Amino acid sequence: MKKIVLAMLLVAAVTAFAQTAAPTQTAAPAQTAPPPVSAPKKEMKDPAEYNAYMGAEQQTDPAAQVSGFEAFLTQYPKSAYKEDALELLMIAYQKTGNQAKMQDTAQRILLVNPCNLRALALVAYSKQAMATGPNAQQNLADAGQAGEKGLQCLQTATKPEGTSAADWDKLKSTTTGIFNNASGMSAYSAKDYAKAEQSLRVAVEGDPTNLTEVYYLALADLAPGAAEKDVEGLFFIARAVNLAQGAGKDTIAKFGKSKYTKYHGSDEGWSGLLTQTATTTLPPADFTIKQYVPPTPAEQAAALVKTKKVEEMSFAEWQMVLSEGTPEDAEKVWSALKGKPLQMLAHIISLDTSGKATKLTLAGSSDDIDAKRADIDLTMSAVIPAKQMPKEDTDFQFEGTPVSYVAKPFVMTMNDGALLVKAAPKPAVHHKKAQ
């Protein structure tokens, strides 16, 4: 957040106004006229109006300034210096600590000039700071609108007469950061991650030590649908770890490391990235992280055949090779299974006792058990006796002989089924297919 920056922006404006916004008076009494100063092409023809303005501006007590400018605005509501007076009133309210009146005055300024940069910056910041409680979303949206308006106004803003180039550049730089911060945080809240990334990247470039901006830029980059920004997001989440302090540091580090490991395939290189981002604020032009590409199902099947005997594979691994492997790998596994009695444990999906032999549909792999999808059609050698009849949605120990299979969706047909008394091994967890 830019609370300190915003306060400095408002306080610094006092000096700027004293130098550049003093009204020009036509035919003012000599005893009250100040030395000539560079000023906007505006003037006051009424000496009383001029004196009222200068009397309020020259007060050293903020409360007295508030009284003076409120009286001036009441007496001269159409003054050419109304906007200037409101800006100084806003600053005076800020000095007195009256945040509500300061925000109200900012809105009064925007009624006079919808592109007043200081007022827009104050609204953008204050609404964002109020983004808590039941009105959080609305306040963030309001902050975002003020930020967007400010960014638009910056495109056409011109340096006021009498303002130095350095002061003008500083004002534009400071408000640009505030506007992009508000726009980016509002967009992130609305799940517009592309917009959030665009705005927050500009904000971070202007203030690379701002933890909030860096952290939420990383989250926007790493959000679903922003895959092309993963590498940048990993850089900024590591940068956020370096900027964070206290308990939050460990939380961010854990999150960042998990994201890095998922993308890279291991945590190798994570510590080096933390070291790099401790002193490097933005990703170098050649910055990259190698992405882990999981093996395809066919590659997983080939690796199984090469590293494990068919007899030692689980049902889930047979299924993997028979459904995803090359014809050669599938044939190697099937030739070792076909016609040979197998003892297994599976989960009953359904029972059919209407024929001469009990028929069951079973799930043999953990994935299919969870999905309640049959991957085995088993025909028993006879009708199962009533006393031994199992129930649906229970585990079933059996022996059966594979006779055929369908690769996709996978179903193995087995005959000559028999009940087992001894427990068979639990189904192995299916090797998840690569997405």
Side-chain angles (χ1 to χ4, degrees):
M1 302 296 288
K2 297 182 176 288
K3 184 173 182 179
I4 295 176
V5 173
L6 182 62
M8 291 173 61
L9 169 70
L10 294 176
V11 172
V14 175
T15 302
F17 270 105
Q19 295 174 342
T20 66
T24 297
Q25 180 193 27
T26 300
Q31 66 270 22
T32 60
V37 294
S38 175
K41 294 181 180 180
K42 298 181 290 188
E43 60 183 20
M44 293 181 183
K45 296 182 179 180
D46 183 351
E49 178 185 352
Y50 175 84
N51 289 334
Y53 184 99
M54 294 304 297
E57 192 275 332
Q58 291 173 357
Q59 293 293 329
T60 57
D61 178 21
Q65 279 193 325
V66 167
S67 297
F69 278 117
E70 288 286 16
F72 172 83
L73 290 164
T74 299
Q75 189 171 2
Y76 303 101
K78 295 183 180 180
S79 172
Y81 278 80
K82 182 176 182 177
E83 182 180 354
D84 305 78
L86 283 168
E87 282 207 48
L88 289 173
L89 177 61
M90 178 176 68
I91 295 165
Y93 274 128
Q94 190 271 337
K95 286 184 175 181
T96 63
N98 193 330
Q99 301 298 312
K101 280 292 187 180
M102 180 179 68
Q103 295 168 26
D104 176 69
T105 307
Q107 296 293 350
R108 292 164 66 185
I109 294 171
L110 295 176
L111 291 175
V112 177
N113 176 12
C115 269
N116 184 288
L117 296 182
R118 287 189 179 88
L120 284 169
L122 187 143
V123 172
Y125 166 76
S126 60
K127 286 291 185 179
Q128 189 175 345
M130 294 162 60
T132 57
N135 295 322
Q137 289 298 109
Q138 185 58 54
N139 284 326
L140 272 176
D142 292 344
Q145 290 177 3
E148 286 296 310
K149 179 66 175 178
L151 291 172
Q152 293 172 11
C153 291
L154 279 168
Q155 301 303 311
T156 56
T158 56
K159 182 174 72 67
E161 185 177 344
T163 301
S164 70
D167 286 343
W168 180 237
D169 289 342
K170 183 178 181 180
L171 174 64
K172 289 195 298 180
S173 175
T174 302
T175 55
T176 295
I178 293 172
F179 295 147
N180 275 293
N181 181 292
S183 173
M185 295 299 289
S186 176
Y188 184 86
S189 175
K191 294 183 170 55
D192 185 350
Y193 301 122
K195 176 64 178 174
E197 188 280 329
Q198 180 184 21
S199 296
L200 290 173
R201 177 62 189 260
V202 177
V204 167
E205 289 173 356
D207 186 5
T209 62
N210 187 304
L211 171 60
T212 300
E213 291 173 348
V214 171
Y215 178 65
Y216 278 95
L217 173 57
L219 294 185
D221 284 337
L222 296 170
E228 70 279 3
K229 292 289 185 178
D230 278 345
V231 170
E232 179 180 288
L234 292 172
F235 178 95
F236 284 117
I237 198 64
R239 174 75 180 149
V241 174
N242 283 294
L243 294 174
Q245 297 179 355
K249 186 180 185 73
D250 291 338
T251 301
I252 296 174
K254 183 178 180 180
F255 171 77
K257 186 176 182 179
S258 69
K259 285 291 186 179
Y260 181 93
T261 301
K262 182 177 180 180
Y263 182 85
H264 185 58
S266 73
D267 63 1
E268 182 181 4
W270 171 247
S271 60
L273 181 58
L274 290 176
T275 300
Q276 179 182 12
T277 54
T279 55
T280 306
T281 59
L282 296 172
D286 60 350
F287 179 73
T288 186
I289 297 172
K290 185 177 180 180
Q291 184 175 11
Y292 168 72
V293 179
T296 64
E299 289 171 338
Q300 293 180 55
L304 274 172
V305 172
K306 289 179 180 178
T307 59
K308 206 168 187 179
K309 295 179 180 179
V310 176
E311 296 79 6
E312 296 174 351
M313 293 181 188
S314 67
F315 178 83
E317 290 169 331
W318 294 334
Q319 181 178 348
M320 166 68 76
V321 178
L322 294 174
S323 62
E324 302 292 348
T326 63
E328 294 78 14
D329 287 337
E331 178 57 30
K332 182 177 182 179
V333 169
W334 183 241
S335 63
L337 299 177
K338 184 178 181 181
K340 298 174 182 176
L342 304 174
Q343 294 187 352
M344 296 178 56
L345 175 70
H347 198 77
I348 299 175
I349 304 298
S350 65
L351 289 161
D352 181 2
T353 59
S354 60
K356 295 181 179 180
T358 303
K359 294 184 177 181
L360 304 93
T361 59
L362 310 169
S365 72
S366 292
D367 283 357
D368 289 336
I369 291 173
D370 292 342
K372 298 186 182 302
R373 191 192 78 82
D375 51 29
I376 298 171
D377 280 342
L378 174 65
T379 300
M380 303 297 287
S381 57
V383 174
I384 300 175
K387 290 184 179 181
Q388 296 178 300
M389 184 66 69
K391 296 180 180 180
E392 291 184 2
D393 200 25
T394 61
D395 289 340
F396 181 62
Q397 299 171 16
F398 70 98
E399 179 179 276
T401 302
V403 294
S404 65
Y405 75 92
V406 175
K408 292 184 179 181
F410 184 81
V411 177
M412 179 183 289
T413 300
M414 305 175 76
N415 290 339
D416 300 327
L419 294 171
L420 289 181
V421 177
K422 294 182 179 179
K426 282 279 187 181
V429 175
H430 193 292
H431 289 268
K432 294 283 187 181
K433 299 174 184 177
Q435 299 299 315

